[in-house]
Amino acid sequence: MMKKQYSAALTATCVILGVIIGVQVNTVKQQGMTTENQRLSEVILALNQMRAERDALLEQNKALEKNVKEHQNGMLDAEMEQLLSFAGLTEVSGPGVTVTMSDSSHRGSGDMNAYLVHAEDLLSVVNELHGAGAEAVSINGQRMVGKSAITCAGSIVMVNGVRVAAPFEIKAVGEADVLDAALHFPGGVVDNLAPWGIEISVRREAAVVVPAYTQTALFRATEEEE
């Protein structure tokens, strides 16, 4: 009887221990799974944060690249505009002077050509204006550039290969006071032409428009000849 009771108690104890062990094992497993799930969630969260930061950095990089490109394009456009202006290929406007040169109305004796405005007279005025800081100069609508030529055959004057006639209207953009003073300087171009009755008037203006150089075909032909 005692043995049976002992055996039953032992069996019950073993069953209880088995149940306890099983519960503990399941609990450990569940805790392990919970820990793994938590760690996996943390890893996924960290990965998503890294992706978000990466995307934000990529957007910032695109914005920076766009700004740099726009800045470079702006600089290139400004430089190109300066080059075109320097080459006389763009219209220039601003304060300046309009100089009108006319043949003498009082012809004396001797060579009648001496009382006419010639290429060298126009060139003298243009040189004075450039020397006084003129940004752009034109004669009867013909823009003066590095390749420009003023030629004369008798009473016929050619500017950039285009025939022009008196009265000659020379427009110059720059400081009007300085440009005017340069032409009226004692012993300057106005004084030198006065004895021949060449009429020169200088009008200061708040807004002068000097057109762009348009004789591109002549420009290329001159380069090819060189």
Side-chain angles (χ1 to χ4, degrees), residues 149-216:
I150 306 175
T151 59
C152 187
S155 60
I156 299 175
V157 178
M158 307 284 286
V159 179
N160 292 338
V162 177
R163 181 173 179 173
V164 293
F168 300 98
E169 187 177 71
I170 304 173
K171 290 184 175 293
V173 174
E175 286 191 48
D177 294 346
V178 177
L179 298 178
D180 189 356
L183 296 178
H184 287 96
F185 189 83
V189 61
V190 173
D191 284 354
N192 290 336
L193 293 176
W196 304 102
I198 302 298
E199 300 174 8
I200 302 178
S201 67
V202 181
R203 185 171 67 253
R204 303 179 189 184
E205 298 188 71
V208 174
V209 178
V210 175
Y213 180 81
T214 58
Q215 304 297 325
T216 53

Side-chain angles (χ1 to χ4, degrees), residues 16-89:
I16 292 170
L17 287 174
V19 172
I20 293 172
I21 291 172
V23 171
Q24 289 179 341
V25 169
N26 288 332
T27 301
V28 170
K29 286 182 178 179
Q30 290 177 357
Q31 290 177 344
M33 291 178 64
T34 301
T35 302
E36 289 179 0
N37 289 336
Q38 289 177 345
R39 289 179 179 174
L40 182 59
S41 297
E42 291 174 357
V43 170
I44 292 173
L45 180 61
L47 181 61
N48 289 336
Q49 289 177 343
M50 291 178 65
R51 286 175 176 171
E53 291 176 358
R54 179 203 63 187
D55 292 342
L57 289 173
L58 288 174
E59 288 299 322
Q60 290 180 3
N61 187 55
K62 287 180 181 179
L64 288 173
E65 288 180 349
K66 183 180 179 181
N67 289 337
V68 170
K69 188 174 182 179
E70 289 177 351
H71 181 66
Q72 289 176 338
N73 289 339
M75 291 180 62
L76 289 174
D77 290 343
E79 290 177 0
M80 181 60 70
E81 187 67 25
Q82 288 180 347
L83 289 174
L84 290 174
S85 178
F86 182 75
L89 300 179

Side-chain angles (χ1 to χ4, degrees), residues 114-135:
Y115 299 92
L116 304 178
V117 177
H118 291 283
E120 58 267 25
D121 303 325
L122 294 170
L123 186 59
S124 295
V125 172
V126 170
N127 287 340
E128 288 290 351
L129 292 172
H130 278 140
E135 298 176 26

Side-chain angles (χ1 to χ4, degrees), residues 77-112:
D77 290 343
E79 290 177 0
M80 181 60 70
E81 187 67 25
Q82 288 180 347
L83 289 174
L84 290 174
S85 178
F86 182 75
L89 300 179
T90 59
E91 180 183 280
V92 178
S93 61
V97 297
T98 296
V99 181
T100 303
M101 299 180 67
S102 302
D103 296 333
S104 174
S105 57
H106 303 287
R107 308 294 173 87
S109 59
D111 187 0
M112 292 295 100

Side-chain angles (χ1 to χ4, degrees), residues 142-153:
Q142 291 297 317
R143 176 72 172 271
M144 302 303 296
V145 296
K147 291 287 185 178
S148 291
I150 306 175
T151 59
C152 187

